[in-house]
Amino acid sequence: MKTQSITFIALFLGLILTLSLQMFTLNQQFADHQSIKRTFVLFSGLPDLSIANEALFVRFRSYADTFSLFSNGPELLEYAPSTFTYHPAYTPNPSRIERAH
Amino acid sequence: MHIKFNTYLLAYALNALYRRGFKSFFTFLMLSFITFLMASILIIAHAIKYELSLTIDALPELTIQNLQAGRHQNISLEHLDTLLDIHGVQRAIPRVWGFYYFDNAGVNFSVMGIDTFDHQTKEHLETMVTAFDFEAFVATPSMVVGKGVQRILNENYYKDYFNFITTEGNFQKVSLAGVFDARTSLESNDMIFMPQEIVRNIFGMHPQEATDIVLRIANKDEIATIITKVKALYPSSRIITKEAMRVSYQSIFDYKSGIFLALFLVCLVTFLMIVYDRASGLSSEEKKEVGILKAVGWQINDILKEKFYEASIIAFSAFLCAIIAALFFVYTLQAPLLRDIFTGYSVLKPTFVLPFVVDIQMLSVIFFLSVPIYMAAVLIPSWKTATLDADEVMR
Amino acid sequence: MIHLNTVSKIFNAGAKNAFCALDAVSFEIKQGEVVLLKGASGSGKSTLLSLIAGLGKPTHGEIVVGGKHISKLPDHFAALFRRSSIGFIFQKFNLIPTLSVFENIIVPLIPSNIPEKELCSRANSLMHRFGIAEKRETLIKHLSGGEQQRVVICRALINNPRILLCDEPTANLDATLSYEFVQMMQTLKTEGKTIVIATHDSLFFDLPLIDRSIELSKGKQI
Ligand SMILES: Nc1ncnc2c1ncn2[C@@H]1O[C@H](COP(=O)(O)OP(=O)(O)O)[C@@H](O)[C@H]1O
Ligand SMILES: [Mg+2]
């Protein structure tokens, strides 16, 4: 009965060890990513990520205004699935559409 | 009081799980899967946020766009020198950039003109592109592209050059001088960089015009006055500050995580359903077992301890397995399937090289969203059964 | 040793289907006595035994076992008392079918967390004594009725209790096995255990083993 518990505890510790090892290696692996990414943004000067790039107001959403989006169809305002991270830049005088949000 | 850890109880709990074989395994799988899903989404979302807020620092402080009739138009460069003369402006850089639609693949490339005379350009390109030959780059019309662009071009048999079609309908041959480091893929995937003159040629832009002008400003406090001065120079302009972008990012992160919310809700509902299933009672065998244990002299707290071990074994190992799997899934496999939720219907999908920003805080959020809920779901019905008279439970 | 004072048990008291299983039962059993609890099926024998063991609480009256008011003891202490002083041989055995013989026998010892050596030696000697040592690792569900009963006896004795409560011990046994059971009780009696046997099996009625009998009929003592 005791050996069973010990086996389990060993397995459990093994899991913890695996996780720490994984965290460690990933940390190492990704450690040098940030500086090169910054260099790129410094170089390009363009905002946002290229994970969705079908139109100007999606790819460089921070540069787009509410209306360019709106002129292509009001429903695009919630430009699923990227709305969660892309949004027209904040304006001090929000439009009616923006106020609605 | 010294309480010796009771290994028999642990062994009994392990044995109980083993005896219930399929059921335990199924619960473990479900719990792992849901935690895994939750963890993956959280990690990706957090990584994207982190990436955005980190790269925003490198952006220019002000971007001046020209609006005409509410539409973004090219901006004239006649006031460029005046802009530079504004106190506090370090650099005023006219930029030429836009989209180039590649018909064959149905893809939009983002094309950006670079200033080859800028002393930093060479240095930057050499850090980001392996074995980059700047002299050759300048000598013939050349471009540096992101991984995604390279892939699309390759698929269309453009191995080392590409023929752009200018607005006049002529070909502009541009040779491929290099590909950006894969680590920048999240930013560079759809980008093409080439000397500004070539971009102007392709887009048919007047030499005295630019897409926008960016200003680099050293002192944050001067931004407000600079904006008023720029506004006077370009009355029809729209000026986007870095701060405004930061605010808009932040406001999105704060409350507009609609997709996450939706996904989370699905996760949570599934989770609660499982929990409800558990909480709606023990099976008759489990109940009987509790009765027997009581009858042979186990106290309520012994029974609860045993159940606690059972639940912990499942919950903790499921949690650990889920985290290990999620990290592997997101960072090693680059989140297949799940990344489609984030990239949408893009044709030009980037390799999903997210920054690694998993920390204790994030792990504890995932932990508290999964483990205690499950534990409660097991312990509450057990406690209910254990407090009944043994007599009643056994029959 | 066991003292009952006008003990009544009403199931579902107050409800429409209220049922009086025991009605003002009083008796006393001394230490070392072997008492037979007679009565037809449904007369309340099992109910009475489980009240003595503290598995349920009487509706009225009080039960004192080994100097403890078991009927008033909080659950926590009742369990402790049960563990240390009472061995219960259930009619339906109440073994855990997916555990092995050995594992079933040591279940009452688990909360005490005693050293593994002692635990094994206790279980092994009991298994030898009752002749199920070679079935040590067999699962309960693979055992015959007689073997299961031995396991129940071993489990009841593992904590070395002073009192042994047997509920219809021979109901699932054939004549030979029943006789064996009587033999076992005989040896236990010589060890000085107080034994209560609830049964309607006439086998027990005129045994020299039995010191005294108490008869129940429809919950009433006769
Ligand atoms: N939990 C209960 N709820 C309602 N009735 C019960 C309950 N337990 C026992 N009874 C009833 O009490 C009576 C006595 O039961 P029991 O003590 O098992 O009898 P015996 O063991 O003498 O055959 C039976 O009629 C039975 O139906
Ligand atoms: Mg009975």
Side-chain angles (χ1 to χ4, degrees):
Chain A
M1 256 188 153
K2 290 221 165 164
T3 47
Q4 225 176 346
S5 323
I6 290 165
T7 319
F8 168 74
I9 291 172
L11 273 175
F12 193 77
L13 290 180
L15 273 182
I16 291 178
L17 199 74
T18 315
L19 180 60
S20 344
L21 223 85
Q22 196 184 18
M23 294 274 280
F24 180 75
T25 42
L26 283 174
N27 231 330
Q28 295 275 300
Q29 190 186 332
F30 286 84
D32 58 344
H33 280 209
Q34 230 45 67
S35 75
I36 198 164
K37 280 177 176 174
R38 271 183 64 91
T39 311
F40 183 86
V41 177
L42 207 61
F43 176 68
S44 77
L46 292 172
D48 300 331
L49 307 179
S50 74
I51 57 177
N53 58 310
E54 262 40 55
L56 177 87
F57 44 80
V58 176
R59 172 61 175 97
F60 303 108
R61 197 152 184 152
S62 302
Y63 274 173
D65 58 289
T66 323
F67 303 106
S68 61
L69 187 58
F70 200 73
S71 62
N72 283 43
E75 73 279 3
L76 288 181
L77 201 56
E78 291 302 326
Y79 198 86
S82 19
T83 326
F84 64 90
T85 177
Y86 297 104
H87 189 266
Y90 162 85
T91 27
N93 310 312
S95 71
R96 222 157 31 115
I97 306 156
E98 282 161 333
R99 271 197 211 106
H101 284 267
Chain B
M1 197 171 71
H2 173 72
I3 299 172
K4 209 173 136 235
F5 179 69
N6 193 336
T7 39
Y8 299 115
L9 261 185
L10 180 61
Y12 188 90
L14 276 169
N15 201 336
L17 289 174
Y18 178 71
R19 279 186 284 137
R20 254 172 265 132
F22 179 73
K23 192 184 168 187
S24 317
F25 187 64
F26 182 75
T27 322
F28 170 80
L29 271 191
M30 283 307 283
L31 195 61
S32 311
F33 182 69
I34 289 167
T35 317
F36 161 77
L37 216 64
M38 222 152 59
S40 304
I41 293 171
L42 255 179
I43 290 172
I44 295 177
H46 187 64
I48 290 180
K49 284 180 198 175
Y50 180 83
E51 181 90 357
L52 282 173
S53 50
L54 207 112
T55 51
I56 205 168
D57 283 339
L59 290 175
E61 280 72 28
L62 286 186
T63 308
I64 308 168
Q65 288 181 345
N66 183 29
L67 291 187
Q68 186 174 35
R71 291 207 174 88
H72 183 197
Q73 300 290 326
N74 289 341
I75 192 164
S76 133
L77 294 182
E78 52 181 332
H79 301 304
L80 193 63
D81 292 333
T82 330
L83 278 177
L84 261 172
D85 286 342
I86 298 177
H87 181 75
V89 174
Q90 274 185 322
R91 304 180 66 197
I93 310 155
R95 299 194 304 191
V96 179
W97 62 276
F99 282 102
Y100 182 85
Y101 184 66
F102 181 33
D103 228 348
N104 293 17
V107 171
N108 263 320
F109 296 141
S110 307
V111 181
M112 179 83 181
I114 44 179
D115 184 357
T116 43
F117 299 111
D118 189 331
H119 64 282
Q120 279 192 321
T121 306
K122 181 176 181 228
E123 185 191 322
H124 279 159
L125 280 172
E126 277 168 354
T127 26
M128 292 181 297
V129 184
T130 35
F132 186 67
D133 183 355
F134 189 70
E135 273 60 50
F137 177 75
V138 185
T140 51
S142 314
M143 59 182 176
V144 178
V145 303
K147 273 265 187 282
V149 177
Q150 186 201 25
R151 204 190 66 232
I152 297 278
L153 292 185
N154 262 340
E155 281 168 11
N156 290 279
Y157 310 109
Y158 288 104
K159 296 286 182 217
D160 38 37
Y161 73 95
F162 182 66
N163 277 328
F164 287 91
I165 302 169
T166 66
T167 38
E168 274 127 40
N170 305 322
F171 284 127
Q172 165 76 61
K173 183 177 165 181
V174 182
S175 47
L176 183 60
V179 180
F180 283 109
D181 193 300
R183 288 173 287 181
T184 65
S185 175
L186 220 43
E187 286 86 9
S188 70
N189 191 53
D190 67 334
M191 301 283 305
I192 298 176
F193 284 81
M194 48 190 153
Q196 226 172 55
E197 313 81 65
I198 304 169
V199 180
R200 277 182 201 280
N201 183 29
I202 293 168
F203 288 156
M205 273 171 69
H206 194 276
Q208 271 310 303
E209 283 182 350
T211 312
D212 54 21
I213 299 173
V214 294
L215 303 184
R216 294 267 179 196
I217 296 157
N219 188 353
K220 261 183 141 190
D221 300 333
E222 288 169 348
I223 289 178
T225 36
I226 292 172
I227 288 177
T228 31
K229 286 177 187 168
V230 173
K231 225 19 187 181
L233 277 178
Y234 292 99
S236 66
S237 65
R238 173 168 178 259
I239 301 162
I240 303 164
T241 62
K242 187 157 83 177
E243 225 32 58
M245 282 193 249
R246 201 193 298 279
V247 168
S248 85
Y249 283 156
Q250 200 49 54
S251 67
I252 300 155
F253 300 159
D254 287 348
Y255 68 94
K256 262 208 121 183
S257 316
I259 291 264
F260 303 143
L261 215 73
L263 280 169
F264 260 137
L265 277 182
V266 173
C267 274
L268 271 180
V269 167
T270 326
F271 195 56
L272 287 179
M273 261 158 61
I274 296 177
V275 164
Y276 177 78
D277 190 49
R278 291 281 330 199
S280 52
L282 305 178
S283 73
S284 63
E285 290 107 75
E286 281 173 283
K287 265 191 189 156
K288 183 152 188 221
E289 193 174 319
V290 170
I292 294 172
L293 295 180
K294 269 198 100 172
V296 299
W298 285 37
Q299 292 171 338
I300 292 174
N301 68 347
D302 295 323
I303 294 170
L304 287 184
K305 247 189 238 164
E306 192 268 324
K307 291 286 176 192
F308 177 81
Y309 289 159
E310 266 182 48
S312 311
I313 289 167
I314 294 244
F316 279 87
S317 18
F319 173 75
L320 284 177
C321 288
I323 297 289
I324 291 172
L327 288 179
F328 183 75
F329 176 74
V330 172
Y331 288 108
T332 311
L333 301 181
Q334 298 183 346
L337 298 177
L338 203 58
R339 74 169 156 229
D340 292 349
I341 296 173
F342 293 87
T343 55
Y345 48 74
S346 298
V347 185
L348 231 178
K349 293 203 166 138
T351 48
F352 222 48
V353 189
L354 294 169
F356 183 68
V357 281
V358 180
D359 49 15
I360 297 296
Q361 193 192 345
M362 154 110 68
L363 291 183
S364 43
V365 167
I366 302 167
F367 180 86
F368 284 114
L369 279 173
S370 60
V371 173
I373 300 182
Y374 176 75
M375 301 269 269
V378 173
L379 288 181
I380 291 170
S382 305
W383 172 76
K384 270 192 195 155
T385 315
T387 45
L388 295 176
D389 276 343
D391 222 11
E392 222 165 300
V393 190
M394 267 191 301
R395 60 177 38 245
Chain C
M1 194 73 191
I2 302 172
H3 191 97
L4 274 80
N5 190 7
T6 58
V7 171
S8 305
K9 176 73 179 179
I10 302 170
F11 286 112
N12 312 316
K16 246 189 188 161
N17 57 347
F19 179 83
C20 184
L22 285 176
D23 192 3
V25 178
S26 309
F27 58 78
E28 193 177 348
I29 297 171
K30 291 195 192 63
Q31 173 143 18
E33 257 187 326
V34 177
V35 175
L36 195 66
L37 199 57
K38 288 198 283 191
S41 180
S43 55
K45 304 183 296 290
S46 302
T47 309
L48 187 57
L49 286 189
S50 64
L51 289 185
I52 294 173
L55 298 180
K57 298 244 179 302
T59 319
H60 301 291
E62 75 177 355
I63 303 171
V64 182
V65 183
K68 290 219 161 59
H69 288 258
I70 186 111
S71 51
K72 291 188 187 135
L73 232 44
D75 216 272
H76 184 71
F77 294 104
L80 263 184
F81 176 71
R82 202 153 50 229
R83 196 195 299 167
S84 61
S85 315
I86 293 177
F88 205 123
I89 296 171
F90 297 95
Q91 177 176 2
K92 289 175 203 149
F93 300 147
N94 282 338
L95 292 165
I96 298 169
T98 44
L99 283 183
S100 72
V101 169
F102 176 75
E103 286 161 340
N104 259 290
I105 291 173
I106 63 159
V107 161
L109 284 181
I110 289 178
S112 327
N113 200 15
I114 60 169
E116 191 161 12
K117 243 189 195 156
E118 190 191 338
L119 180 128
C120 284
S121 76
R122 275 210 226 172
N124 286 337
S125 71
L126 276 173
M127 282 190 294
H128 276 293
R129 182 166 164 197
F130 292 97
I132 43 169
E134 63 275 24
K135 302 273 180 186
R136 190 174 195 260
E137 301 304 333
T138 317
L139 295 188
I140 291 299
K141 57 183 177 188
H142 298 144
L143 290 184
S144 72
E147 288 164 332
Q148 288 195 28
Q149 177 155 52
R150 288 152 196 259
V151 180
V152 180
I153 296 172
C154 291
R155 185 179 69 181
L157 293 176
I158 189 111
N159 269 320
N160 198 19
R162 287 170 292 165
I163 302 164
L164 200 59
L165 306 174
C166 313
D167 192 0
E168 311 270 11
T170 54
N172 296 299
L173 305 181
D174 60 28
T176 351
L177 288 172
S178 301
Y179 183 70
E180 257 180 46
F181 177 80
V182 175
Q183 301 281 289
M184 291 177 206
M185 289 303 118
Q186 189 72 57
T187 36
L188 289 173
K189 185 187 178 185
T190 56
E191 284 169 22
K193 300 221 183 293
T194 312
I195 302 176
V196 183
I197 302 171
T199 188
H200 61 265
D201 189 342
S202 52
L203 166 77
F204 285 98
F205 289 176
D206 298 311
L207 283 178
L209 164 77
I210 309 296
D211 296 320
R212 194 149 65 86
S213 7
I214 296 166
E215 190 160 357
L216 288 179
S217 169
K218 292 188 180 156
K220 289 196 176 60
Q221 196 176 350
I222 7 180

